Each structure stands twice: as C-alpha cells, then as structure tokens.
Amino acid sequence: MQMRLAEMEAHHPDRLLPAVSPECAPRFWEMTARGQELARTLDVTVLGLVRNSMPWIEFNAARLARLGESFGTWRAFIYENDSEDGTDEFLRQWSKDDDRVAVQCEKHARPQLNTEKSRRRTEALAEYR
C-alpha cells in the first residue's frame, strides 16, 4: 500500500522520499522495511565535521539521535574547529549528556572557507578528517 507524502510526513517527518511510481511503490516499501529490519541488527558510527553551525546543529543533533535509535547501537564522533557561534559549547554539552557522542574541538585560527573551492580548503578538510 502506498502512503501519500503528507501521511508519511505526519508519521515520519525525518524521512525524505523519492518519487515512487504506483507500480514501483510495493517494491520500494518492501525494500524499505527490509532495510529498517537489517538496521536494527547493526552498529553504526556517524562521523562529522562542523564549524559555526548554530542553530542548525541543535536540530541536526536531535535528528542524528533519532536516526541512531533505528540501529542496534550507535555512536557519533564530531570534529569541530574554530566556531565562534556557540557550536563548540553545544557539542561539548551534548557529549556530556550522551556517552554515545564524542567531540573534539580545536582552534586553528584559520579562515572559514565554506564557499571556496580551493586546494587550501581541501587540504584543511583533509587534515581535520
């Protein structure tokens, strides 16, 4: 049975759905259910890089925790650098409140290069990783 998007959003607001044709919908939902069943048996670790992400980091942390509950166990490692908007404080508190979350915050005094596509940005991101 194919759910309409509005119905899906009402029950699963975090799920983004692809356009599914009526003839493909049964297979899509079957495979979705199989994936969810498998996820409950797996352990997952989420890795992330973040800088100056307030207030979105609060919303995304809650989403990540809800997603993590879909798995057998979950944990997260978040690397933060040079935030000036409270992102680092939020992450430190989150890691204190939830032992599944580990955070490393550092100050490098580098410019934020989020819209730049350059070797300098690529090298900085590789170093953080």
Side-chain angles (χ1 to χ4, degrees), residues 80-106:
E80 177 281 330
N81 71 286
D82 295 302
S83 290
E84 299 171 344
D85 66 350
T87 296
D88 51 343
E89 289 92 359
F90 171 81
L91 290 170
R92 284 187 186 104
Q93 187 60 51
W94 186 29
S95 70
K96 285 179 186 174
D97 294 343
D98 192 332
D99 62 359
R100 297 170 293 191
V101 178
V103 172
Q104 182 174 339
C105 298
E106 294 184 350

Side-chain angles (χ1 to χ4, degrees), residues 48-116:
L49 300 174
V50 65
R51 179 177 183 178
N52 288 330
S53 295
M54 292 299 282
W56 306 279
I57 190 68
E58 296 169 320
F59 174 74
N60 286 320
R63 289 184 72 182
L64 185 126
R66 280 194 307 273
L67 174 65
E69 297 302 328
S70 301
F71 292 87
T73 63
W74 72 274
R75 59 184 174 249
F77 175 79
I78 311 294
Y79 177 85
E80 177 281 330
N81 71 286
D82 295 302
S83 290
E84 299 171 344
D85 66 350
T87 296
D88 51 343
E89 289 92 359
F90 171 81
L91 290 170
R92 284 187 186 104
Q93 187 60 51
W94 186 29
S95 70
K96 285 179 186 174
D97 294 343
D98 192 332
D99 62 359
R100 297 170 293 191
V101 178
V103 172
Q104 182 174 339
C105 298
E106 294 184 350
K107 298 293 184 198
H108 296 287
R110 289 183 175 154
Q112 189 164 359
L113 306 170
N114 58 332
T115 60
E116 185 175 313

